[in-house]
Amino acid sequence: GAGVSQSPRYKVTKRGQDVALRCDPISGHVSLYWYRQALGQGPEFLTYFNYEAQQDKSGLPNDRFSAERPEGSISTLTIQRTEQRDSAMYRCASSQGVENTDTQYFGPGTRLTVL
Amino acid sequence: GDSVTQMEGPVTLSEEAFLTINCTYTATGYPSLFWYVQYPGEGLQLLLKATKADDKGSNKGFEATYRKETTSFHLEKGSVQVSDSAVYFCALNSGNTPLVFGKGTRLSVIA
């Protein structure tokens, strides 16, 4: 398909386990963003990349969270030693360019549940 | 920092009623403004956008005008349908930055 894809769509894990969430952006899109959305709230920024360079990671809650985009395409968000408070919908978006006029296109999200 | 405030829901309307969802923002510089929609069981989709003052974004019968003087970007539709039931998010982008979203407004349209 031509849209942003994310996998897995649903992830249930036990507290203390590590999880890796994958995002495959629209082909050729320069920028890739990660957001987290709690129930009943709007998405909140975590981190973003232009090409393979991580531009801003100020939204990552703590050092258990990390992200990479080594070849400027697919990105992985990793959460180490998961905690129940990490349960949320994790959304990925990509945009063609780096201007604020560029539309961000969102994937379907990964619903993470930490037991 | 940048922020978006939108009216709290839920909003319940009868089919063919007029819809307004208020959105105001605080931002440095000249942001672009967006409305995203999330239909039940689906991801976020761009509904419309405006990139400069006085621009009007429109799509699927929805409209919103970028009002710099009132820092607003209210969403309107003249006649809603049951299929418009969804959560609507107002958002802004001030530069090479991530989107800043409002909390969302849930709309339910009843036949």
Side-chain angles (χ1 to χ4, degrees), chain B residues 46-108:
Chain B
L46 178 70
L47 181 59
L48 54 84
K49 72 177 188 181
T51 59
K52 61 182 188 295
D54 300 324
D55 269 2
K56 178 185 285 188
S58 61
N59 186 25
K60 299 182 181 180
F62 290 88
E63 292 183 341
T65 301
Y66 188 159
R67 301 287 189 199
K68 190 169 183 293
E69 64 275 13
T70 54
T71 62
S72 65
F73 193 53
H74 304 321
L75 182 68
E76 296 182 335
K77 185 174 185 181
S79 176
V80 294
Q81 305 300 311
V82 172
S83 58
D84 294 326
S85 298
V87 182
Y88 292 82
F89 293 92
C90 185
L92 70 82
N93 185 334
S94 282
N96 187 13
T97 60
L99 288 165
V100 175
F101 285 88
K103 291 186 176 182
T105 303
R106 180 176 299 276
L107 170 66
S108 295

Side-chain angles (χ1 to χ4, degrees), chain A residues 33 35 37 40-43 45 48 50 91 98 100-104 106-107, chain B residues 30 32 34 36 38 44 46 49 51 89 93-96 98-99 101-103:
Chain A
Y33 304 81
Y35 296 84
Q37 185 176 10
Q41 301 292 318
F45 166 72
Y48 85 97
N50 286 342
R91 296 196 183 276
V98 301
N100 69 342
T101 53
D102 291 317
T103 297
Q104 292 183 26
F106 282 80
Chain B
Y30 302 96
S32 293
F34 304 82
Y36 280 83
Q38 185 175 4
L44 284 166
L46 178 70
K49 72 177 188 181
T51 59
F89 293 92
N93 185 334
S94 282
N96 187 13
L99 288 165
F101 285 88
K103 291 186 176 182

Side-chain angles (χ1 to χ4, degrees), chain A residues 11 13-19 21 36-38 46 61-62 64-65 77-90 110-115:
Chain A
K11 177 69 177 178
T13 190
K14 292 183 178 180
R15 188 177 53 188
Q17 297 295 305
D18 298 349
V19 296
L21 312 181
R36 181 167 70 173
Q37 185 176 10
L46 294 175
N62 51 60
R64 295 186 297 106
F65 288 73
L77 177 70
T78 301
I79 309 173
Q80 295 179 312
R81 306 180 302 282
T82 53
E83 301 178 4
Q84 287 185 328
R85 59 180 171 155
D86 300 333
S87 297
M89 176 71 82
Y90 289 82
T110 295
R111 169 75 65 189
L112 175 65
T113 302
V114 182
L115 302 177

